[in-house]
Amino acid sequence: MTRSVYVTGIDRGDGRQVVELGVMELLTRQVDRVGVFRPLVHHSPDRLFELLRARYRLSQDPATVYGMDYHEASALQAERGTDELVSTLVDRFHAVTRDYDVVLVLGTDYADTQLPDELSLNARLANEFGASVIPVVGGRKQNTESVLAETRNAYRAYETLGCDVLAMVTNRVARADRDEIAERLDSRLPVPCYVVPDELALSAPTVSQIAQSLDAKVLLGDDSGLARDALDFVFGGAMLPNFLSALTPGCLVVTPGDRADLVVGSLAAHSAGTPPIAGVLLTLDERPGDEILTLAGRLAPGTPVLSVPGYSFPTAEQLFALEGKLNAATPRKAETALGLFERYVDTGELLKRVSAPSTDRVTPMMFEHKLLEQARSDMRRIVLPEGTEPRVLHAAEVLLRRNVCALTLLGPADRIRKKAADLGIDLGDAQLIDPATSELRDAFAEQYARFRAHKGVTVELAYDVVSDVNYFGTLMVQEGLADGMVSGSVHSTAATIRPAFEIIKTKPDADIVSSVFFMCLADRVLVYGDCAVNPDPNAEQLADIAIQSAATAQGFGVEPRIAMLSYSTGTSGTGADVDKVREATELVRARRPDLKIEGPIQYDAAVEPSVAATKLPESEVAGQATVLIFPDLNTGNNTYKAVQRSAGAIAVGPVLQGLRKPVNDLSRGALVQDIVTTVAITAIQAQSPSQKVSQQ
């Protein structure tokens, strides 16, 4: 029977989209076929479903998502009664359950619905669907006692109506009251109650949403600028010195369009990072001259400047009525929402209570979820040497919002802050260090000179070397100031890993440094090694790569079954290349008799059961290999790229293995998500007991 979870509320304004998004994240960690059903909708397409569809790559036909619109429901209920309405919605719900292992149901929104007793309707639908319920209670602008009473009453209401209440979520409470509310509810309810504080960045509209709502003209600004959250509004009327002191981080400056001094002054303040603003909104249908707009564009590239025809006061009324919305066009808000959910909800406990049917399949999305969850479970500090690169900054924001790890970014701090401000990125608690001016530079130079004394490196020469961001980041890892390093989005592989070879060196039980790619196919994750580092390993090195790759696979939840690949299977072929693979296989068996290994074996016999049944019917690896070791770099690199492009696989890596402490390289074409995933992998590698460092 399909499991279903019904997220509902008791009134509007509870911000339950955070919970709906968080529950979807949990469900997609456990199964790969998750459906969505919204019984009643105001209009199609629904913005939350569009967000879920984009984020989780849902293939569900949107026509099956919605039961009916509110007008149809109200007319049906008035004409034929509630039973007929419920019966129709149940039929449409069950049409969805036939195709999915679990269904997330999005309850009604209590907004202009013209439906009597909407809470009872949600409860009845949940019961008829056989769905467990997660009620959400909004606590914004309420005191502690009011929140406590409303939460207890909501639980009693749904429980009395016969619902299977999985957990309660009290959302948008004042941060100062959050801990007290959580403590008091913990002893008052028989189910878990998760208390989530209000988050300004979620309710703040983006500049793009403001432009759409006010029908504003966009005079300046790019997509990154328009995606910024307007956390505050500052209205310009004072003289420039007094006006500048009123600016707040993330504010939208609202000023008559003829105040060129305030426009230029606020953008200059943004450029200096004191403070970064969201943008400028000009009223009265006035706009500065072209020379002022040109100057504005140069002062703060990408920062939006909008224009509206109205006066400042009615514009202010419209602005204060706006509220940010989660949708497919606001991916950064989604990251903030998930970070909030994962910080304040015991996701492990909730997932157990949901008890969605598990699956043996591991999809790319499930693998990515697991990486983030595993990294978050024991947070490490990762250093990112390329601190001014936009992709790295976007990835840093995602990692910080999702609480995946602590971060140190290297580069001139003022340049990093300015670049982040131009991109509308909040770096939160990220540590910024400029190697050229850092107080660590002298100590690092002395340390590096000791490491490389046998090569004639003096302290003076080392002083120049350690100003390089990759050398500086590697020394931070070596000296325990960071747990791992990720670089390579703008540096070559050699520039990224050479410092690690010189400073960190290999583990005592590793002969060489090698790499693997996690190849995320539609229904499983395979580990390919070595596809990036060693051009032509000999038998001993190939055996070492196999053992390291098995350990890496196991560390990331992939049961290692090793296939030592060759152009022949078993004893069918001869020649130096086959003999090398055969010898490496025997070395692995001698060194690690506990590992399951087969070789030499062809790729099709390694992964396809029907081929394996013919070629190696008695093998416990053939047909079900998970770790595939290529005989040389030429074969491995070409194969991983062929599978990536032809089969639509997601290739995560290269992940370096064999170093004493984790350092990983990025492709110079890496996307933001690639960087996020690689940092999470590096953080997990650093969780090994032998590699942990004390947090700074």
Side-chain angles (χ1 to χ4, degrees), residues 336-348:
T336 300
L338 286 172
L340 200 66
F341 183 85
E342 290 159 347
R343 177 174 293 181
Y344 293 102
V345 172
D346 186 338
T347 55

Side-chain angles (χ1 to χ4, degrees), residues 167-240:
M168 298 290 299
V169 178
T170 303
N171 192 30
R172 306 180 95 175
V173 304
R175 283 190 174 271
D177 299 334
R178 187 264 162 200
D179 290 347
E180 180 186 353
I181 292 171
E183 182 179 355
R184 292 176 64 180
L185 283 174
D186 187 51
S187 59
R188 300 285 184 89
L189 296 176
V191 298
C193 184
Y194 308 115
V195 181
V196 181
D198 203 7
E199 174 57 59
L200 182 60
L202 284 177
S203 56
T206 65
V207 179
S208 177
Q209 290 172 334
I210 290 171
Q212 292 173 8
S213 297
L214 273 60
D215 197 22
K217 296 178 183 177
V218 180
L219 305 181
L220 293 174
D222 58 19
D223 290 343
S224 292
L226 291 167
R228 297 176 191 172
D229 297 321
L231 302 178
D232 192 9
F233 302 113
V234 174
F235 294 86
M239 297 301 290
L240 184 59

